[in-house]
Amino acid sequence: MTVQKVGVVGCGLMGHGIAQVAAQAGCQVTVLEADAGALEKGLGRINKSLGKLVQKEKISQADADKAFGHITGTGEVKDLADCDLVVEAIVENLDVKNALFKDLGALCKAETIFASNTSSFPVSEMGAASGRPERMVGLHFFNPVQLMKLVEVVRTPATSDEVFAEAKAFGEACGKVPVAASDTPGFVVNRLLVPYLAEAIRMVERGDSTPADVDAGMTLGCGYPMGPFTLLDYVGLDTTMFILEGWVEKYPNESLFEVPALLRQKVQEGKLGRKTGEGFFKWEGDKRA
Ligand code: CAA
Ligand code: NAD
């Protein structure tokens, strides 16, 4: 892997985890975050996560200190100019992502690889916005990044062989198993997972079941580690709604992509899940209350 300097944009649920695994892989990491409070919170989560890994004897205290020392926060996009790789993990909004990649395309050195952690949007559109489509790839990590073993490496028709190979090598260096995916809605996992989550909500809307019973069904009956409502809260109800809204706009005839009214209602009420302390369930930090 030639990637040494990594930029991560966004220090929320995903960005903090991506910054952490990149730093543990030995990269120098600069995290760009628009909200100073979110940056502080994200860095705090990294510190806590490294502490857990030390406590469980997965890594040494010296390795944790070294990884944390590799991470610098910033509020200025210019600080990403000399990165070998920039991984974007900001809000799931294609216009906002395109604007960021346009800025990065104008600013970064010619060799920089651009990657998006988007859950659902076409990576090729972000590549076009950057002005360097051959250097654009999807790197779709899973939540929580520190624990989930998969990364989908999304190749567009324009992605160069070299960029794809480098992105895959970076994923492996971060301790993940890379799976190649095409630039289709939701790639492999979310094309199956998000309609399943939406259908679970519709089941409750129809009055067929309750969140607790649906979750019990899928954990005890199918061996899933989390039922769909716990997972919805874990992922973020806003993010799930943005994914479905984006798909509805692009693929209006696909009935699987409809946005359940109950999901919209929860988001309007500010009940976004784990990150706001309440979604379908109540949360205390990272645990269900
Ligand atoms: N860093 C370090 N350690 C962590 C951690 C973190 N961020 N989060 C949890 N841990 C540790 C915990 O401390 C705990 O340690 P102990 O065993 O010593 O107590 C251990 O990991 C297990 O955690 P929990 O006890 O909290 O809970 P768990 O056994 O249920 O495991 C889980 C947690 C791995 C998240 C598991 O519940 C799981 O696999 N859930 C499903 C997650 C999933 O499906 N993710 C994909 C979401 S979809 C997506 O990401 C794509 C998208 O675009 C939306
Ligand atoms: P989040 O809301 O937790 O964090 C997003 C962060 O990006 C916020 O802290 C926000 O302040 C920051 N931000 C927004 N615009 C910015 C900009 N222009 N520049 C710098 N920072 C900016 O969201 P998240 O759950 O971490 O999701 C981030 C991305 O990862 C989304 O594309 C999402 O679809 C994808 N994703 C999410 C999950 C999940 O389970 N939550 C899993 C895989 C992929």
Side-chain angles (χ1 to χ4, degrees), residues 49 52 56 119 140 142-143 146-147 190 193 226 287:
S49 170
K52 268 189 203 168
K56 292 168 80 182
S119 298
H140 186 218
F142 288 79
N143 183 9
Q146 294 91 340
L147 302 186
N190 282 344
L193 179 67
M226 287 176 175
K287 300 265 181 206

Side-chain angles (χ1 to χ4, degrees), residues 47-240:
N47 206 11
K48 200 170 152 198
S49 170
L50 288 169
K52 268 189 203 168
L53 297 175
V54 172
Q55 203 187 342
K56 292 168 80 182
E57 298 182 350
K58 299 236 163 156
I59 59 171
S60 68
Q61 185 64 54
D63 284 345
D65 293 344
K66 197 168 154 197
F68 199 66
H70 281 330
I71 303 172
T72 314
T74 183
E76 308 241 24
V77 69
K78 68 174 172 48
D79 291 339
L80 303 185
D82 69 343
C83 285
D84 303 314
L85 167 72
V86 177
V87 186
E88 166 275 314
I90 64 173
V91 62
E92 189 70 350
N93 178 306
L94 188 56
D95 292 338
V96 179
K97 288 183 191 287
N98 284 344
L100 171 73
F101 280 109
K102 188 172 176 223
D103 289 349
L104 291 171
L107 179 91
C108 291
K109 65 181 181 181
E111 300 78 23
T112 306
I113 296 171
F114 295 140
S116 174
N117 186 54
T118 180
S119 298
S120 61
F121 288 124
V123 176
S124 57
E125 288 198 25
M126 290 172 248
S130 76
R132 307 184 198 174
E134 70 291 346
R135 303 212 61 80
M136 182 85 210
V137 69
L139 269 175
H140 186 218
F141 289 88
F142 288 79
N143 183 9
V145 179
Q146 294 91 340
L147 302 186
M148 304 313 280
K149 284 284 170 209
L150 182 70
V151 62
E152 291 178 320
V153 186
V154 183
R155 184 172 198 158
T156 81
T159 308
S160 77
D161 291 346
E162 177 224 334
V163 165
F164 181 74
E166 278 291 339
K168 205 169 151 230
F170 171 74
E172 280 166 347
C174 291
K176 308 303 170 197
V177 176
V179 166
S182 305
D183 194 16
T184 51
F187 319 122
V188 174
V189 173
N190 282 344
R191 183 67 178 82
L192 295 171
L193 179 67
V194 176
Y196 153 78
L197 296 175
E199 187 55 22
I201 300 172
R202 284 191 279 269
M203 197 181 285
V204 167
E205 276 180 340
R206 290 193 299 266
D208 297 345
S209 191
T210 63
D213 282 350
V214 174
D215 274 16
M218 296 312 291
T219 52
L220 303 179
C222 294
Y224 286 21
M226 287 176 175
F229 288 96
T230 304
L231 189 55
L232 277 156
D233 278 2
Y234 202 79
V235 163
L237 303 189
D238 51 345
T239 299
T240 310

Side-chain angles (χ1 to χ4, degrees), residues 15-25 45-46 49-50 53 67 71 146:
H16 89 275
I18 297 168
Q20 179 179 330
V21 295
Q24 287 182 255
R45 292 181 81 128
I46 294 172
S49 170
L50 288 169
L53 297 175
I71 303 172
Q146 294 91 340

